[in-house]
Amino acid sequence: MIQAIVFLPLIGALIAGLLGRTIGHRPSEYITTGLLLVAAVLSWVVFLPVAFGGGLAGAVTDGHTAVLKVEIMRWIQVGDMDLRWTLRVDTLTAIMLVVVNTVSSLVHVYSIGYMADDPHRNRFFAYLSLFTFAMLMLVTADNFLQMFFGWEGVGLASYLLIGFWYTKPSANAAAMKAFVVNRVGDFGFALGIFGAFMVLGHIDFDGAFHAVPEAATATIRFLSWDLHAMTVICLLLFMGAMGKSAQFLLHTWLPDAMEGPTPVSALIHAATMVTAGVFMVARFSPLFETSPTATTVVLVIGAITAFFAATVGLVQNDIKRVIAYSTCSQLGYMFVALGAGAYSAGVFHLFTHAFFKALLFLGAGAVIHAMHHEQDMRNMGGLRKKIPITYAMMIIGTLALAGVGIPGTEFLGFAGFFSKDSIIEAAYAVGGNSGMFAFWLLVVAALFTSFYSWRLIHLTFHGTPRPAGHGHDDHSHDEPANEDHAAHGHDDHGSAYDHAHEAPNVMLVPLYVLAFGAVVAGAVFYGMFFHDVEHIEHFFAGSLVVDHEIIEAAHHVPLWVKWSATISMILGFIAAWYMYISSPETPKRLAAQNPALYRFLLNKWYFDELYDRIFVKPALWIGRAVWKGFDDWLIDEKLTEGLGRRVQNVTSWATKLQSGYVYHYAFAMLIGIAALLTWAIVAGGLI
């Protein structure tokens, strides 16, 4: 069963990728989608017994960790290292199998309708299945190298999917940006793997984790410093997570990834690439527990990311970019939980987030489909009557993202309410400067999240239709409308609105399934992830560290802490209603009164411009200098072509001496004999 779960997506990718032109688009779609649906069902078959007390079938327990291992083949054998390609399945893996395969299968189904008119959709479905397989290889890894294989695999697949429309320059640029930024994080991740092998002496997870207590106080000599080895290793590993999961400073690729088709955005943001970093830190929780410095860094970076991305999301006008910055912010929440030591809470938010974020992205895709590829919310409005089903699905996703629920209850709330509030309570429970710093940033981020989520709903579905380029409610002259609008030739917004229609059932059915998850996933699974420590330990069965102290402290925070996120959510809703329903001229007036702040947020804190000046332009200058100065001038002009011309000149002079006349050669011989006699006479005379 485990082999089928992992390799069915690969089989689909190979069939659609290699035989797609032969068998046609429709068979490629059905084969890849059918295989993913089977993998998703099998994933739930593995997960449900674990979730409801039955345990993992076939798992071997070593007294603490229950894990099932399925050996595929012998992989690397060098000296004493005998590395097997083994599929590792424990509770953490089972959770990820459900997330990855469920969302991916629904994205496949949705894409049958969304990509119906694309002439290269067989290639698209091959890439989707390849992406899924790479993520499955990552989450089932049993050793560092196997994880690195999947880690790089999702990077490759994301490059292929973000740049799927390769004739579009912006898509090519976005794909390259994602690839290059992730190489920065992956460099740190690779160094972390090298360091872990050097210090722990094992490449497999079980051996490495068992060696952690002995290496907890080990040091690494770097230049003249003796550094705590586990801190260095954990920070390097977290550098990889920062790249994959788009954390602050390495986040710039994620919004640009919206250049890919909308189903790609849903898959990247809900189930695959960005969740890889969260999963990796959770998997390596035994390592991170040895370094308070590393966990503090994770906590602080996560809090900053949650706040930063939420501020940028306040003013974005592209419907997909608003949701993209929401993902970035929610990933920050997950890392705060990991940094606080509440690893189960971080994984809980990853689990619930997959449902409502995929729902929001696919719902946005249905809006874009209805509006003939229009993505600028300023050119929408009034769509509630045109696409009521999509509107209802987006409302459910927004309620889950905003965290609507009643604190103190175990069943009254949407999915995001239970998981996000758990993280906020855990951050407060950490205490100290770092804990309070993270707590307040998360509370403010919750307010901003509610505001921009309801802003999206109001601009898109409420009010009256707004013609393109006229009557924008949101300081529209500061940012051009989305280029895709003009590119698709739909300049007449009235026509686009008049012809807006509900998506076909093949696109709506995945929304129904995801909406169900967004409603019930938090209440159903809250007890397993966060409620009772003993229950959490039994559920995870040693697949990650369960910190009794932080979980208990989180449950005993003051009442106002439990209500803080809910109050923030309500304030955000009221502010969005006032600014976009009651007084729609207010946003434009505020932007005009605070132009510097507005532009600062609209331009994403100017990180792209800053990186362009610090890294991109110097790199281009060095590249041009090497190209023009070294390659063209020195190598080509002076060495290759220059020496060639000198050799040619010398040989031309030498050939002129070969005239072919006998008297020329006789004369040269006489001159030579005369020269030799002269030298002999002079030399003899000197002696």
Side-chain angles (χ1 to χ4, degrees), residues 491-531:
D491 295 327
D492 183 0
H493 178 80
S495 176
Y497 177 82
D498 293 338
H499 293 88
H501 56 85
E502 199 67 82
N505 286 330
V506 72
M507 294 172 61
L508 292 178
V509 170
L511 299 186
Y512 302 151
V513 177
L514 292 168
F516 178 77
V519 173
V520 306
V524 171
F525 296 102
Y526 174 71
M528 303 164 195
F529 286 92
F530 194 70
H531 183 257

Side-chain angles (χ1 to χ4, degrees), residues 64 87 102 124 138 173 178 228 265 288 291 339 379 382 399 416 420 436 532 542 546 579 595 619 623 679:
H64 178 63
L87 303 181
T102 301
F124 179 77
L138 192 157
H228 183 230
S265 303
F288 279 85
S291 174
N379 299 334
L399 292 171
K420 187 163 66 174
M436 297 309 297
D532 180 75
V546 178
M579 295 176 69
W679 174 78

